[in-house]
Amino acid sequence: RDSEERYRMLFTAMDEGFCIIEVLFDDDLTPIDYRFLEVNGAFEKQTGIQAAKGRLMRQIAPAHEQYWFDVYAKVALTGEPVRFENHAKELHRWYDVYAFRIGQPEDRHVAVLFSDITERRRIEGQLREADRNKDEFLAMLAHELRNPLAPIRNAVQIFRAKSPPVPELQWATEVIDRQVYQMTRLVDDLLDVSRITRGQIELRKERVELAEIVNSAVEASRPLIEKWGHELTVTIPPQPIELEADLTRLSQVLLNLLNNAAKYMEQAGRIWLTAEPQGGGVLIWVKDTGIGIPAEMLPHIFDMFTQVDRSLDRAEGGLGIGLTLVQRLVEMHGGTVEAHSEGPGKGSEFVVRLPVVNGETPQGAARDGETVVSPAARRILVVDDNRDAADSLALLLRMKGNEVHTAYDGLEAIGAVAVFHPDVVLLDIGLPKLDGYEAARRIREQGGGAGIMLVALTGWGQEEDRRRSKEAGFDHHMTKPVEFAALQKLLAESHPE
Ligand code: ADP
């Protein structure tokens, strides 16, 4: 009796709702209702139902969802306890519920322990909404910030080629170049991470050798590593290791890790990049003798915008999304990444695990060399409603010996094609008056339009966009801001008829 008294007190005093119900079935064992046998003090506050004891739920709330009756019936019949969250529309509340059978099975008594979580659900909803807004804002921001960068980079190249040999001017050009490069990197990271978050990145997977991925990352990280006087040791197995992977994206992963190693280390440190086959995959370590990572930060290091020490000299600064990108890209390749560190001052180690392609040897010949032949002079029409972008690209192309015209909207582009008869049209997609897809279609229909090389220039490089531009009659698709070198390469590869 003492014990029962104690438990009764507990249920009366506690702040969660508690009740014992008897589940009522029809002859086919279909649950039709339940009756409240006992309720505790908090029951009324948690449900808004007064004097429930002895009454039937269907009488109290006729529209109470069938779900509730089914769940309690199952507990009563099977004796298996359940925990769930569900909405009760007629009570205008959400509940977190734990239900278990008590007494003899044939009694069909169920004890229900629950709390009203409406407020929590509302706040969670708001948080999700805020998070979505943030992602959308970031994507928009990155997209908008990216556009002005292309003309600035073009203008810098022109300056480089043409500016008189005045040391101050050359210095100023270098400063703009470096800073714009840095800004492009930040904006690209931001754009990448928001695209990945929104599931908008597709990998272009192909068979690649690990060595190729490593080389590309090491090449790209060299300037930063040398700048700080670090020593990099790369050890990869002599036998080829093949991955089914997106070369650019995986190089980006290793590059981010190498750059971090270089950034978060005093001058003249050491970095090791080591790869070894293990199990059905390959392990890649990037290890440094740098400032290390405090143990309490390790679990959060891959979270977006996480930075250990914001007060750090931010000369090589980032936004705290490099490692988020690393993790997401590795996961998209079916791999994992971990961070280890013995603590501040003890260096850091990042371990990437990736699946490899089993067995058979690579097919076909070696990859084409990267030699860029200087393209023959062409007649090129550049179409972009961002005048700076169009004009600067035109000027650069002219400096390479091409004959170049510009147009700033879709209709103008069609007119220009008729008069100028270009060999190549570089056509922006988001254009006023007539968008790039429609302009491309009409250009193809014009006399002589079939032989023109049409290149789409867009801010969005997803599969869907590529498919649409192909349908509209484009031969190629380039994502803005266009790397001038990549454009040169494209022009060189496609010789005029
Ligand atoms: P960012 O470098 O732009 O700040 P990252 O996502 O690449 O963003 O890295 C997040 C944080 O993790 C960094 O700000 C730094 O504090 C820490 N970190 C990353 N790599 C290392 C490393 N190799 N050694 C020490 N700390 C590191």
Side-chain angles (χ1 to χ4, degrees):
R1 197 172 305 120
D2 268 0
S3 151
E4 193 188 321
E5 190 62 22
R6 225 175 291 138
Y7 284 114
R8 190 163 290 279
M9 235 180 72
L10 180 67
F11 285 117
T12 315
M14 76 188 185
D15 177 23
E16 275 87 24
F18 177 73
C19 59
I20 296 173
I21 57 173
E22 177 191 357
V23 185
L24 307 174
F25 294 87
D26 67 7
D27 295 340
D28 304 328
L29 272 192
T30 308
I32 45 175
D33 207 339
Y34 53 81
R35 185 193 311 280
F36 293 100
L37 301 179
E38 287 210 45
V39 300
N40 76 339
F43 180 93
E44 187 179 324
K45 185 169 151 264
Q46 298 275 351
T47 59
I49 303 172
Q50 293 171 349
K53 189 168 171 179
R55 288 162 70 200
L56 292 168
M57 188 61 188
R58 289 259 193 237
Q59 281 171 357
I60 298 168
H64 199 46
E65 291 86 350
Q66 183 61 34
Y67 173 85
W68 296 93
F69 300 93
D70 294 344
V71 172
Y72 295 145
K74 190 162 171 239
V75 176
L77 293 177
T78 64
E80 282 167 25
V82 286
R83 165 142 229 159
F84 61 93
E85 287 186 6
N86 199 39
H87 190 218
K89 205 157 146 213
E90 204 166 334
L91 305 182
H92 307 289
R93 297 174 203 229
W94 275 89
Y95 288 105
D96 176 21
V97 181
Y98 181 67
F100 53 98
R101 186 165 76 186
I102 56 170
Q104 299 306 312
E106 60 276 14
D107 295 341
R108 286 157 185 175
H109 289 181
V110 176
V112 185
L113 197 53
F114 61 96
S115 39
D116 179 353
I117 54 164
T118 316
E119 186 58 11
R120 198 193 85 201
R121 295 288 297 212
R122 194 180 61 76
I123 294 169
E124 281 171 1
Q126 279 179 351
L127 278 178
R128 264 194 301 274
E129 169 80 16
D131 199 42
R132 231 188 342 264
N133 286 345
K134 179 210 68 192
D135 285 346
E136 258 156 42
F137 172 73
L138 285 180
M140 206 57 207
L141 181 71
H143 191 58
E144 291 300 322
L145 287 178
R146 215 176 187 228
N147 285 332
L149 292 175
I152 299 178
R153 286 167 73 181
N154 289 343
V156 168
Q157 291 216 38
I158 291 162
F159 229 89
R160 267 228 178 104
K162 292 276 157 146
S163 72
V166 181
E168 287 91 338
L169 278 186
Q170 281 173 353
W171 172 82
T173 313
E174 294 307 316
V175 171
I176 300 174
D177 195 22
R178 268 198 306 277
Q179 300 301 323
V180 170
Y181 172 77
Q182 169 77 348
M183 202 158 144
T184 310
R185 231 199 59 217
L186 291 178
V187 171
D188 280 353
D189 273 1
L190 196 59
L191 197 61
D192 274 351
V193 85
S194 60
R195 280 180 180 165
I196 291 180
T197 315
R198 288 143 54 100
Q200 288 180 337
I201 275 200
E202 285 117 4
L203 295 180
R204 305 175 148 259
K205 283 195 190 170
E206 53 182 345
R207 286 212 173 176
V208 271
E209 264 199 42
L210 181 68
E212 203 175 344
I213 298 169
V214 171
N215 277 342
S216 144
V218 167
E219 274 320 301
S221 69
R222 204 174 286 288
L224 194 63
I225 292 175
E226 281 173 2
K227 177 173 161 194
W228 292 106
H230 302 317
E231 188 187 322
L232 170 65
T233 312
V234 179
T235 317
I236 57 175
Q239 76 271 25
I241 296 184
E242 279 225 308
L243 311 176
E244 181 72 20
D246 185 322
L247 171 69
T248 319
R249 294 304 187 174
L250 275 192
S251 311
Q252 188 182 0
V253 163
L254 297 184
L255 174 63
N256 279 355
L257 295 178
L258 287 171
N259 278 350
N260 276 352
K263 273 177 2 184
Y264 300 107
M265 183 150 64
E266 299 285 325
Q267 295 235 348
R270 296 207 59 186
I271 306 172
W272 294 268
L273 189 160
T274 315
E276 242 174 50
Q278 201 177 84
V282 58
L283 281 189
I284 308 165
W285 293 267
V286 176
K287 190 168 153 51
D288 63 56
T289 53
I291 62 172
I293 301 168
E296 70 274 13
M297 286 305 288
L298 277 174
H300 309 291
I301 205 82
F302 293 101
D303 295 350
M304 210 187 284
F305 308 127
T306 296
Q307 295 182 317
V308 173
D309 185 358
R310 292 237 152 95
S311 66
L312 218 68
D313 170 17
R314 312 279 325 145
E316 307 288 352
L319 299 169
I321 52 185
L323 287 181
T324 313
L325 267 178
V326 165
Q327 189 181 44
R328 304 255 166 101
L329 289 172
V330 166
E331 283 170 358
M332 284 172 80
H333 280 90
T336 58
V337 55
E338 285 167 20
H340 305 283
S341 174
E342 303 272 299
K346 303 250 177 73
S348 314
E349 183 184 39
F350 289 81
V351 188
V352 178
R353 249 169 254 266
L354 288 167
V356 300
V357 181
N358 300 327
E360 74 246 66
T361 41
Q363 304 236 324
R367 212 165 272 278
D368 291 343
E370 286 291 297
T371 34
V372 176
V373 219
S374 195
R378 306 286 184 81
R379 300 169 67 79
I380 303 177
L381 176 66
V382 179
V383 191
D384 197 327
D385 60 328
N386 179 335
R387 285 178 182 243
D388 282 344
D391 293 346
S392 57
L393 186 57
L395 191 50
L396 264 184
L397 287 165
R398 264 183 216 123
M399 284 166 56
K400 297 287 175 189
N402 300 287
E403 196 172 329
V404 189
H405 274 210
T406 47
Y408 307 117
D409 66 56
L411 284 180
E412 203 187 330
I414 291 172
V417 169
V419 185
F420 174 56
H421 302 298
D423 309 311
V424 180
V425 180
L426 306 176
L427 189 56
D428 185 26
I429 294 293
L431 285 174
K433 297 197 182 153
L434 199 66
D435 73 20
Y437 296 125
E438 189 51 35
R441 261 180 224 113
R442 296 210 199 161
I443 289 171
R444 281 283 185 242
E445 286 163 10
Q446 280 184 19
I452 298 176
M453 174 169 144
L454 286 181
V455 184
L457 305 184
T458 79
W460 307 102
Q462 288 175 250
E463 274 312 315
E464 170 64 13
D465 302 306
R466 288 177 193 277
R467 191 186 53 72
R468 276 192 74 186
S469 69
K470 203 165 182 172
E471 269 173 22
F474 282 100
D475 300 301
H476 301 281
H477 187 118
M478 299 190 89
T479 328
K480 290 204 289 189
V482 172
E483 284 292 332
F484 190 65
L487 179 59
Q488 281 282 92
K489 190 159 176 254
L490 184 70
L491 291 174
E493 280 166 0
S494 50
H495 300 287
E497 282 141 54

PDB file of all heavy atoms in Angstrom, residues 167 362 374:
ATOM      1  N   PRO A 167      55.820  51.040 -62.332  1.00  0.00           N
ATOM      2  CA  PRO A 167      55.776  50.086 -61.227  1.00  0.00           C
ATOM      3  C   PRO A 167      54.511  50.213 -60.375  1.00  0.00           C
ATOM      4  O   PRO A 167      53.910  49.204 -60.002  1.00  0.00           O
ATOM      5  CB  PRO A 167      57.011  50.430 -60.395  1.00  0.00           C
ATOM      6  CG  PRO A 167      57.905  51.189 -61.304  1.00  0.00           C
ATOM      7  CD  PRO A 167      57.061  51.816 -62.358  1.00  0.00           C
ATOM      8  N   PRO A 362      42.198   0.181 -66.119  1.00  0.00           N
ATOM      9  CA  PRO A 362      41.575   1.266 -66.870  1.00  0.00           C
ATOM     10  C   PRO A 362      41.523   0.981 -68.364  1.00  0.00           C
ATOM     11  O   PRO A 362      42.418   0.357 -68.923  1.00  0.00           O
ATOM     12  CB  PRO A 362      42.478   2.467 -66.582  1.00  0.00           C
ATOM     13  CG  PRO A 362      43.730   1.915 -66.013  1.00  0.00           C
ATOM     14  CD  PRO A 362      43.363   0.627 -65.362  1.00  0.00           C
ATOM     15  N   SER A 374      46.989  28.000 -79.751  1.00  0.00           N
ATOM     16  CA  SER A 374      46.402  29.322 -79.846  1.00  0.00           C
ATOM     17  C   SER A 374      45.335  29.292 -80.930  1.00  0.00           C
ATOM     18  O   SER A 374      45.589  28.891 -82.053  1.00  0.00           O
ATOM     19  CB  SER A 374      47.482  30.338 -80.183  1.00  0.00           C
ATOM     20  OG  SER A 374      46.978  31.615 -79.939  1.00  0.00           O
TER      21      SER A 374
END
